[in-house]
């Protein structure tokens, strides 16, 4: 069991690495290759610029989405958790992007020609479109990673019966109705674990009662001594 748990943790950590590093790096490289930045900054400068605009905002959005997921619990579906997290992170992301663009503009003045004047109508429209695309991408990747890889970083916790709920009748007296239900479940071919969950008793209690009733191998009619 410990080995399985360790494998699951390692797998989730690997998916975390791919999601938070691999995805933004790939998106940034596409932007560097397809965009006009290399002509202004050179290949290395363009790579640094687009990576700075991709990795940190992606991780900031992840941090905010994690907080939203913890607060929401099972009340919201995954896609809505991702959407709320992306929207809530916008102020942080926009502030970070503004700082990076200001620094880049001082290093490469020609970069200002690609961007509309700050806080102009064109700038606000461009920022809104850019944030909208980023939010859609974020939601899509979160849902795709969850559905295809079983990634549970932001997924709502699954409802599992508590130990009290599962074994609330443990140690209780067996009634004639309990015995009849036990015979019926054994006759249907259910294993002891499934019967224990349904009757809210321990597996050991089910097996002990099965033997006491003269049943064996979960099938009525097979008797055993004792």
């Amino acid at each position: 069991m410990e080995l399985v748990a360790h494998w699951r943790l390692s797998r989730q950590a690997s998916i975390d690495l791919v999601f938070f590093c691999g995805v933004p790096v790939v998106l940034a490289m596409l932007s560097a290759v397809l965009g006009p930045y290399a002509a202004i900054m050179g290949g290395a400068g363009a790579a640094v610029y687009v990576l700075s605009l991709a990795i940190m905002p992606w991780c900031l959005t992840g941090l905010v989405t994690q907080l939203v997921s913890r607060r929401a619990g099972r009340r919201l579906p995954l896609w809505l958790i991702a959407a709320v997290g992306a929207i809530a992170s916008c102020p942080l992301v926009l502030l970070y992007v503004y700082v990076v663009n200001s620094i880049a503009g001082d290093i490469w003045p020609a970069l200002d020609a690609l961007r509309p004047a700050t806080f102009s109508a064109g700038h606000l429209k461009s920022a809104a479109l850019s944030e909208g695309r980023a939010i859609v991408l974020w939601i899509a990747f979160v849902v795709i990673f969850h559905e295809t890889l079983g990634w549970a970083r932001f997924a709502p916790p699954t409802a599992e019966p508590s130990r009290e709920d599962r074994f609330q009748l443990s140690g209780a007296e067996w009634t004639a109705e309990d015995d009849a239900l036990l015979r019926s479940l054994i006759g249907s071919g259910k294993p002891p674990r499934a019967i224990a969950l349904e009757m809210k008793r321990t597996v050991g209690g089910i097996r002990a009662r099965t033997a006491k009733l003269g049943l064996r191998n979960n099938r009525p009619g097979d008797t055993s001594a004792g």
Side-chain angles (χ1 to χ4, degrees):
M1 292 297 293
E2 291 182 1
L3 183 60
V4 173
H6 177 72
W7 180 83
R8 288 177 178 173
L9 289 175
S10 299
R11 184 172 183 271
Q12 289 296 315
S14 299
I15 299 175
D16 282 347
L17 183 63
V18 172
F19 184 87
F20 288 110
C21 294
V23 171
V25 167
V26 170
L27 294 176
M29 290 301 99
L30 288 174
S31 178
V33 171
L34 301 177
Y37 307 111
I40 297 173
M41 308 172 175
V48 171
Y49 176 69
V50 295
L51 283 173
S52 64
L53 289 179
I55 296 178
M56 184 56 69
W58 196 261
C59 292
L60 285 174
T61 305
L63 177 61
V64 176
T65 304
Q66 184 71 45
L67 295 175
V68 172
S69 176
R70 290 181 177 179
R71 296 284 294 180
R74 293 190 294 272
R75 291 175 293 179
L76 299 177
L78 178 60
W79 70 268
L80 189 53
I81 290 175
V84 172
I87 294 172
S89 67
C90 282
L92 292 174
V93 171
L94 290 174
L95 178 61
Y96 173 81
V97 170
Y98 174 77
V99 172
V100 171
N101 282 331
S102 298
I103 296 173
D106 292 337
I107 300 174
W108 296 284
L111 186 62
D112 292 334
L114 299 177
R115 303 194 305 265
T118 305
F119 301 124
S120 66
H123 175 262
L124 295 177
K125 180 180 179 180
S126 175
L129 289 175
S130 177
E131 282 301 309
R133 287 193 296 267
I135 290 172
V136 172
L137 274 175
W138 175 260
I139 297 172
F141 274 105
V142 168
V143 173
I144 289 171
F145 268 61
H146 174 69
E147 294 295 333
T148 60
L149 301 176
W151 191 48
R153 170 61 57 187
F154 307 124
T158 56
E160 294 183 356
S162 64
R163 185 176 181 84
E164 289 76 14
D165 290 337
R166 292 171 59 194
F167 303 133
Q168 65 181 18
L169 296 180
S170 178
E173 293 292 331
W174 284 82
T175 65
E177 290 78 9
D178 292 334
D179 289 342
L181 177 58
L182 178 60
R183 291 178 183 274
S184 174
L185 294 174
I186 291 174
S188 68
K190 285 191 175 182
R193 186 174 299 277
I195 296 175
L197 288 174
E198 184 162 341
M199 299 191 69
K200 297 182 179 179
R201 293 181 179 269
T202 63
V203 176
I206 294 296
R207 287 173 174 163
R209 192 63 180 181
T210 300
K212 188 171 183 179
L213 292 176
L215 306 174
R216 186 178 180 184
N217 296 327
N218 290 332
R219 297 187 182 279
D222 294 337
T223 59
S224 61

